[in-house]
Amino acid sequence: MTLNQKNVGFQSVKRKTLSKQVVDQIVQLLQSGHFKPGDKLPSEPKLMEELYVSRPVLREAMSSLETLGIIRRKTREGTYFSERVGSEPFYRMLALSTGDFSAIIEARISIELGLITLAAEKITDEQLGKLKQTIEDMSEADDYSEHDKEFHRIIANSANNPFVEGLVDPLLSMVDQVLNKVSQEYKNREATVEQHIEVYNALKKRDVLEAYTKLREHLEYGRNKVMKIIHSRDVF
């Protein structure tokens, strides 16, 4: 469904902060329910006519919307509202908290613990198989950090909640960047693999409480170890 198939009542845009007003109006179309994720926007000339703005103003607004992950452009097909929450806005927000590792790890813990309670109920046999494979890969790889992240990413995605899934990749990447500054001292393959196995077994049983408890123990173990290294070396 395209925007011009509905009578949405675009408002004339004033000269002040034109591109921002265009962004606000297009976002409002989603918030008001006039249009849904995946709907196609009208052509550039049509938007210029409806909003009473110039091409440079409109393109500036569309670039902002694309950066925010609200729209996506398809070559030779047009511009569409995104179908799900993207990660890019969260990457940008987290950049402002780069020096506050404690806050970042607390955010990660709170989000992942919420997700695993859903994952314990929703995870599929296929996703369980992928989890098991990451544990096997982690046991063999010299650098197991990517397999570690994939383990947590699979759990997050198995919760089937697009509103919070977009937070996970930015948080995992930000944590990884911080850990690289700390050195390899924080890593303990044997302990990590053992803890992942415990989380996997709890998920396999679909035991919500046990999955929550085991993941919390795993995340707290990592946080305590890294924070001790950071404080002793004054990394930040």
Side-chain angles (χ1 to χ4, degrees):
M1 182 180 296
T2 62
L3 294 185
N4 53 359
Q5 287 178 304
K6 291 188 176 182
N7 182 18
V8 297
F10 280 105
Q11 299 176 12
S12 174
V13 176
K14 298 180 180 179
R15 292 298 303 173
K16 184 179 180 181
T17 61
L18 289 178
S19 64
K20 182 180 183 303
Q21 290 184 59
V22 171
V23 168
D24 289 343
Q25 284 208 44
I26 292 177
V27 169
Q28 180 60 32
L29 293 175
L30 283 173
Q31 293 177 332
S32 64
H34 280 296
F35 297 95
K36 299 177 181 178
D39 283 352
K40 185 178 181 180
L41 279 77
S43 66
E44 187 177 87
K46 180 65 175 178
L47 281 173
M48 290 167 54
E49 178 184 347
E50 294 281 358
L51 295 166
Y52 296 96
V53 294
S54 65
R55 180 173 279 105
V57 169
L58 179 62
R59 289 184 173 176
E60 180 181 347
M62 299 301 278
S63 294
S64 297
L65 289 165
E66 189 171 25
T67 298
L68 291 169
I70 295 172
I71 64 170
R72 56 190 175 85
R73 306 184 195 192
K74 294 183 179 180
T75 305
R76 292 188 293 275
E77 291 187 29
T79 303
Y80 295 77
F81 285 114
S82 298
E83 296 179 0
R84 59 189 298 128
V85 178
S87 296
E88 187 61 29
F90 302 118
Y91 275 113
R92 295 173 182 271
M93 288 189 291
L94 281 172
L96 299 174
S97 302
T98 302
D100 192 349
F101 181 71
S102 179
I104 292 172
I105 198 65
E106 285 177 1
R108 176 191 176 182
I109 290 174
S110 63
I111 290 169
E112 286 201 54
L113 289 179
L115 286 170
I116 200 168
T117 61
L118 298 174
E121 298 175 344
K122 299 180 178 181
I123 195 166
T124 65
D125 290 339
E126 181 182 358
Q127 289 166 329
L128 283 169
K130 291 179 179 179
L131 276 185
K132 186 177 181 180
Q133 185 61 53
T134 63
I135 296 173
E136 294 174 0
D137 293 339
M138 189 182 304
S139 301
E140 300 172 358
D142 292 331
D143 182 359
Y144 61 86
S145 58
E146 284 303 317
H147 303 302
D148 187 3
K149 283 195 294 185
E150 182 62 15
F151 180 88
H152 291 272
R153 190 179 293 115
I154 291 169
I155 292 174
N157 292 338
S158 68
N160 294 324
N161 189 315
F163 294 103
V164 288
E165 282 176 15
L167 286 169
V168 175
D169 273 340
L171 281 170
L172 291 177
S173 296
M174 185 65 71
V175 170
D176 197 44
Q177 290 175 27
V178 174
L179 295 183
N180 287 335
K181 295 181 181 180
V182 175
S183 82
Q184 302 298 309
E185 190 177 326
Y186 73 94
K187 291 189 175 181
N188 185 326
R189 182 202 306 271
E190 183 177 344
T192 302
V193 169
E194 181 179 347
Q195 291 164 11
H196 279 205
I197 290 174
E198 291 177 345
V199 173
Y200 166 80
N201 287 335
L203 288 171
K204 189 175 181 180
K205 291 187 292 185
R206 268 72 177 186
D207 189 320
V208 175
L209 181 58
E210 183 178 342
Y212 177 95
T213 301
K214 293 303 181 181
L215 182 61
R216 182 176 178 82
E217 290 174 356
H218 170 54
L219 294 175
E220 288 288 354
Y221 169 85
R223 172 169 69 168
N224 293 338
K225 188 166 187 177
V226 173
M227 292 306 295
K228 185 179 294 185
I229 296 173
I230 289 175
H231 290 152
S232 67
R233 295 189 175 184
D234 193 23
V235 175
F236 295 102

